[in-house]
Amino acid sequence: MTDRPQTKDAANSMWGGRFAAGPDAIMEAINASIGFDRRLYAQDIRGSRAHAAMLAAQGIISDSDAKAIGEGLLTVLSEIEAGNFPFSTALEDIHMNVEARLKEIIGEPAGRLHTGRSRNDQVATDFRLWVRDQCDAAIAGLQALIRAALAQAESGADWVMPGFTHLQTAQPVTWGHHMMAYVEMFGRDLGRFRDARARMNESPLGAAALAGTGYPLDRAMTASALEFDRPMANSLDAVSDRDFALEFLSAASICAVHLSRLAEELVIWSSAQFRFVSMSDKWSTGSSIMPQKRNPDAAELIRAKIGRILGATVALFTVMKGLPLAYSKDMQEDKEQVFDAADSLMLALAAMGGMLSDLTANRANMEAAASAGFSTATDLADWLVREAGLPFRDAHHATGALVALAEKKGCDLDELSLAEMQSVNPAINQSVYSVLGVHNSVASRQSYGGTAPDQVRVQITRWKERLA
């Protein structure tokens, strides 16, 4: 895209006769937003076409002027999409750039487009439409990611791996169960973006500068044309609200935390010390000096995205926290933060979905790790409560003594002899061995939401139905 020549006259012609001279270079630089808000071009043109059609329907402008405006705006749209639109920083923003170019194309009727609206409600409408589109994109990205996680969970519903607390081996779980934990997290993210979208789906258009307008606008008509549920009910709120952007950023930040947690686990699991998973070459890079290395760079970059997204969230909250009603120029600082956060989130979602789809879980390595570290100690304690009638605290103490004995002998719990177990508690009998294997352990966790393969498959089915 090329820039239109910069002239003070061009800027002044848009402002009318209020200023005797154009802003100097510094004021122009701090005031102009076209460098980033050009991304709103499609939403701006869509909103303007809806506004023009409504003005004609209400008899505020002629049908012929509305037709010229609508067709001229489509020409502007095609120029921008073709990459040959002459953007100008002297015209400050996307709205004035579009309107100036429209005037060059159709002449006088372009001047009637702004009847009954202000740049305040115009930018609020454009930005709300853009953020709504990003919610839709995030929803689609999360659905694809959840499907990738479901595929991993289904393939390994009964594959045993260690479950961790404090990154120490705790109890055996299944690979499917672990993957389904992230399905639940991403499912909540899905709900947050859907909720945010529903709340933001009201139209500011027609609120004008802050007080509404004396023209007989049909705000319901433009709201419907732009697929909003209704017009916003208060003109002050309509032009000054950025809750929709804050809510999008908040949902994006929580989602990025979930992505970062999974990315961290993939980094750990792909290490030589764990070898739980193998990354495909698509999502790994080599070392410039160490030929044996396969670095999980994609996961590491996803892990870092939360910094950018959370930073954008904090920045916009800080901008908005002290603003009186209605519009203040501070609010021009809303877009770059949201644009960057949305780009980072969409890239991270796509990358994580790709990684999970190509990921190979190493069943044998996970099962070997699950069998180490006395991961069935809790099962032994539960058996002592259930079968031997011990209070749990006594069972916990007895199990600790058996773990110490196994550590001393250099074996696992199920390798202790019955006599050795009975030396700690004579109530132990042969049936205790039925709970000491890792497969027996996970199979016994039949409570709703537990790690038993049957329970994992129940949750997989529930999520498939929910996505369908």
Side-chain angles (χ1 to χ4, degrees):
M1 296 182 181
T2 58
D3 283 344
R4 182 181 287 128
Q6 310 300 297
T7 66
K8 292 180 181 179
D9 288 345
N12 289 338
S13 67
M14 297 302 293
W15 280 115
R18 172 66 181 86
F19 296 103
D24 62 23
I26 295 174
M27 181 58 190
E28 183 176 283
I30 197 172
N31 195 47
S33 59
I34 189 60
F36 51 86
D37 71 11
R38 63 178 64 184
R39 291 183 66 162
L40 300 176
Y41 73 89
Q43 290 78 18
D44 189 70
I45 290 171
R46 183 182 179 189
S48 290
R49 295 186 78 233
H51 184 67
M54 179 275 296
L55 291 176
Q58 293 297 102
I60 299 170
I61 66 173
S62 68
D63 290 341
S64 60
D65 282 349
K67 181 179 179 182
I69 289 169
E71 291 176 352
L73 287 170
L74 290 178
T75 300
V76 174
L77 179 64
S78 66
E79 289 179 352
I80 295 175
E81 290 179 340
N84 55 21
F85 183 87
F87 287 106
S88 168
T89 55
L91 295 172
E92 294 185 17
D93 56 31
I94 186 62
H95 326 295
M96 295 175 78
N97 269 264
V98 168
E99 187 174 332
R101 179 61 181 141
L102 180 65
K103 185 174 182 180
E104 292 173 355
I105 295 170
I106 69 170
E108 182 196 23
R112 296 189 172 89
L113 171 59
H114 211 53
T115 307
R117 73 174 183 184
S118 162
R119 281 201 302 176
N120 293 355
D121 63 331
Q122 187 177 0
V123 67
T125 302
D126 294 356
F127 195 28
R128 195 173 285 252
L129 287 169
W130 192 90
V131 174
R132 189 180 72 180
D133 289 343
Q134 299 311 298
C135 283
D136 289 339
I139 289 167
L142 280 163
Q143 288 172 331
L145 177 54
I146 289 170
R147 289 189 178 96
L150 284 172
Q152 286 286 348
E154 191 165 28
S155 66
D158 55 359
W159 297 3
V160 180
M161 67 176 290
F164 299 97
T165 59
H166 309 279
L167 205 56
Q168 306 293 315
T169 299
Q171 293 177 283
V173 296
T174 57
W175 171 251
H177 191 57
H178 203 113
M179 285 293 100
M180 289 304 295
Y182 283 103
V183 168
E184 293 295 328
M185 291 185 211
F186 295 134
R188 291 192 295 273
D189 294 325
L190 195 63
R192 272 182 280 271
F193 282 112
R194 283 174 170 159
D195 288 347
R197 190 196 192 284
R199 253 184 302 280
M200 73 177 65
N201 205 36
E202 296 182 338
S203 174
L205 193 57
L210 75 163
T213 177
Y215 292 100
L217 304 185
D218 185 347
R219 293 190 61 208
M221 178 180 174
T222 50
S224 176
L226 298 173
E227 299 178 271
F228 287 116
D229 293 332
R230 63 193 68 85
M232 294 185 73
N234 184 283
S235 59
L236 282 168
D237 181 48
V239 299
S240 62
D241 169 56
R242 293 298 183 270
D243 288 2
F244 63 94
L246 292 170
E247 193 166 3
F248 171 79
L249 289 174
S250 299
S253 293
I254 297 172
C255 182
V257 167
H258 294 155
L259 289 166
S260 182
R261 294 182 74 179
L262 178 53
E264 169 71 3
E265 295 205 307
L266 295 179
V267 170
I268 293 170
W269 291 342
S270 64
S271 68
Q273 290 72 25
F274 275 74
R275 296 182 297 120
F276 285 3
V277 301
S278 298
M279 301 272 198
S280 79
D281 291 341
K282 294 179 184 177
W283 306 103
S284 307
T285 64
S287 166
S288 63
I289 190 172
M290 295 168 284
Q292 83 282 7
K293 294 285 293 299
R294 175 182 278 182
N295 299 323
D297 283 5
E300 291 170 354
L301 289 167
I302 291 171
R303 187 174 58 185
K305 291 298 182 186
I306 179 59
R308 296 179 70 141
I309 296 171
L310 182 59
T313 307
V314 173
L316 186 54
F317 269 99
T318 305
V319 167
M320 296 301 298
K321 71 170 184 64
L323 297 186
L325 297 180
Y327 181 83
S328 298
K329 195 69 169 181
D330 311 50
M331 292 164 71
Q332 185 168 290
E333 292 296 313
D334 56 3
K335 295 169 198 66
E336 285 183 284
Q337 313 293 343
V338 178
F339 291 162
D340 184 74
D343 290 345
S344 295
L345 179 66
M346 303 315 163
L347 185 59
L349 285 171
M352 184 59 80
M355 274 196 299
L356 280 189
S357 295
D358 290 341
L359 192 72
T360 300
N362 299 323
R363 181 179 185 179
N365 292 344
M366 290 193 296
E367 184 165 336
S371 300
F374 309 107
S375 64
T376 58
T378 303
D379 297 275
L380 175 55
D382 288 342
W383 185 92
L384 287 168
V385 171
R386 191 171 57 250
E387 302 297 330
L390 272 65
F392 183 80
R393 288 303 172 196
D394 293 346
H396 187 282
H397 179 78
T399 301
L402 288 168
V403 167
L405 178 60
E407 282 183 322
K408 183 177 180 180
K409 288 177 60 67
C411 66
D412 209 343
L413 286 170
D414 61 354
E415 295 174 312
L416 292 173
S417 69
L418 181 59
E420 287 168 328
M421 289 194 179
Q422 289 175 337
S423 71
V424 172
N425 190 297
I428 297 175
N429 59 50
Q430 188 68 35
S431 68
V432 74
Y433 292 100
S434 67
V435 301
L436 294 183
V438 291
H439 287 281
N440 291 334
S441 174
V442 297
S444 72
R445 307 292 174 180
Q446 289 286 350
S447 58
Y448 180 81
T451 194
D454 290 346
Q455 282 296 320
V456 171
R457 292 186 179 101
V458 166
Q459 299 305 326
I460 291 170
T461 299
R462 179 176 69 88
W463 266 100
K464 284 184 173 182
E465 292 171 351
R466 181 174 170 181
L467 289 176

